[in-house]
Amino acid sequence: MEAAKPVSFSKLNKYEAPKRRKTKANRLTEALEADADKDEEAEPRGVVYLGSLPNGFFEPQMKTYFSQFGEVTRFRLSRSPKTGGSKGFGFIEFRQESVAKIVAQTMNKYLLGDRSLVCKFKPKDECHPKMFKGWRRKPFDPRPRRREKQMLSVNDRPTVEVDGQAVPQLTELQVKHHERRRKKLKGKLRQLEIDYDVDEILNGGGTADNEAEAEEPEAQEQKQPKKKKRRRAAVG
């Protein structure tokens, strides 16, 4: 009886873990895996808080100025959502944590422009996960867009024909303002003990008076002034 031939382990390993095909997708996967291994072995990133920033020191200036210490990966300047202006503080992230610590030590209380700069190193557990969310987004001033929207809401309103003229309808805000003023006027008249019907006047009760006032100038125009007689010079 013949003995069984031994199987080489190299063949078993060859069939269990076949090599990847040399495609673009596999190359990209291998490159990403290699970068992930490098990042795990390399030093972690570090974040520095920047406070008391002078006016005019924005995102481009942050990147340009702090790049002299090391590689800057991300940065974010806190801005007002109403005006888009700087709030005077921000955060900057360096590739290496040691560089971030050196920057926080050396640049703290550094006189930048007309202000004393505040720099503090932020540990990883104190950093919010969404601290640098939208850091690539370009800053903009939302006030012109908000002003245009307000103008459209006031001007582009449905119209009502009154005496042959197209009059825009009142908005809900305008109605509330009118009601508030009417209540305020009623309260003042009540305090002064004056019996006056405000609703009748405001709702068109004074139309008869307006018509009478409109007729008076017409009657005055019909009356012509008397001509003065000229005196003749006496002939001697």
Side-chain angles (χ1 to χ4, degrees):
M1 188 174 180
E2 295 181 358
K5 293 182 179 179
V7 180
S8 62
F9 290 101
S10 59
K11 290 183 179 180
L12 288 174
N13 294 334
K14 183 178 181 181
Y15 289 111
E16 287 178 2
K19 291 184 179 180
R20 293 177 179 175
R21 295 177 60 189
K22 293 184 178 181
T23 60
K24 291 183 179 180
N26 291 337
R27 288 176 193 168
L28 180 61
T29 305
E30 291 174 359
L32 291 174
E33 289 176 355
D35 290 341
D37 295 339
K38 288 180 181 179
D39 291 340
E40 289 178 359
E41 295 175 0
E43 190 178 352
R45 300 182 182 185
V47 179
V48 178
Y49 165 80
L50 304 175
S52 188
L53 294 173
N55 189 21
F57 196 80
F58 302 129
E59 289 89 351
Q61 288 79 14
M62 285 174 61
K63 183 180 179 182
T64 304
Y65 187 81
F66 287 97
S67 293
Q68 60 181 326
F69 299 99
E71 185 181 354
V72 175
T73 52
R74 292 183 295 181
F75 48 89
R76 177 175 169 267
L77 181 67
S78 183
R79 291 180 173 270
S80 171
K82 291 185 178 180
T83 63
S86 172
K87 289 185 177 181
F89 69 93
F91 301 91
I92 189 165
E93 184 186 64
F94 292 91
R95 176 72 68 181
Q96 297 176 345
E97 187 179 6
S98 58
V99 175
K101 290 180 179 179
I102 292 171
V103 170
Q105 267 185 342
T106 56
M107 294 301 295
N108 190 31
K109 296 183 179 180
Y110 181 79
L111 189 62
L112 186 64
D114 56 346
R115 295 190 181 182
S116 180
L117 196 63
V118 177
C119 291
K120 293 181 180 179
F121 174 74
K122 301 288 288 184
K124 190 175 181 180
D125 55 347
E126 295 182 8
C127 296
H128 196 274
K130 296 182 180 180
M131 177 182 287
F132 294 99
K133 183 181 178 181
W135 68 280
R136 294 180 182 273
R137 192 181 306 155
K138 291 184 179 180
F140 70 98
D141 188 356
R143 286 176 292 183
R145 185 183 298 177
R146 190 169 61 251
R147 192 181 301 115
E148 184 180 357
K149 186 178 178 181
Q150 181 67 19
M151 290 174 64
L152 288 175
S153 65
V154 173
N155 297 330
D156 292 353
R157 288 179 286 163
T159 57
V160 180
E161 189 172 351
V162 179
D163 298 334
Q165 293 183 355
V167 180
Q169 289 185 352
L170 295 177
T171 61
E172 294 180 359
L173 187 62
Q174 288 175 335
V175 172
K176 289 180 181 179
H177 286 174
H178 290 172
E179 290 294 332
R180 194 181 300 116
R181 290 173 186 170
R182 184 177 299 185
K183 289 180 181 178
K184 190 176 180 181
L185 180 59
K186 285 182 179 180
K188 286 184 178 180
L189 293 174
R190 198 179 301 111
Q191 288 178 0
L192 297 173
E193 297 181 356
I194 299 174
D195 188 10
Y196 192 80
D197 195 355
V198 178
D199 295 331
E200 186 179 354
I201 300 300
L202 294 177
N203 293 333
T207 53
D209 298 337
N210 295 337
E211 291 177 0
E213 291 176 0
E215 289 178 358
E216 287 180 0
E218 293 179 0
Q220 291 176 2
E221 288 178 2
Q222 291 177 1
K223 296 179 181 180
Q224 297 179 357
K226 295 180 180 180
K227 294 182 180 179
K228 294 182 179 180
K229 295 182 181 180
R230 296 180 180 178
R231 294 181 180 179
R232 295 181 181 181
V235 179

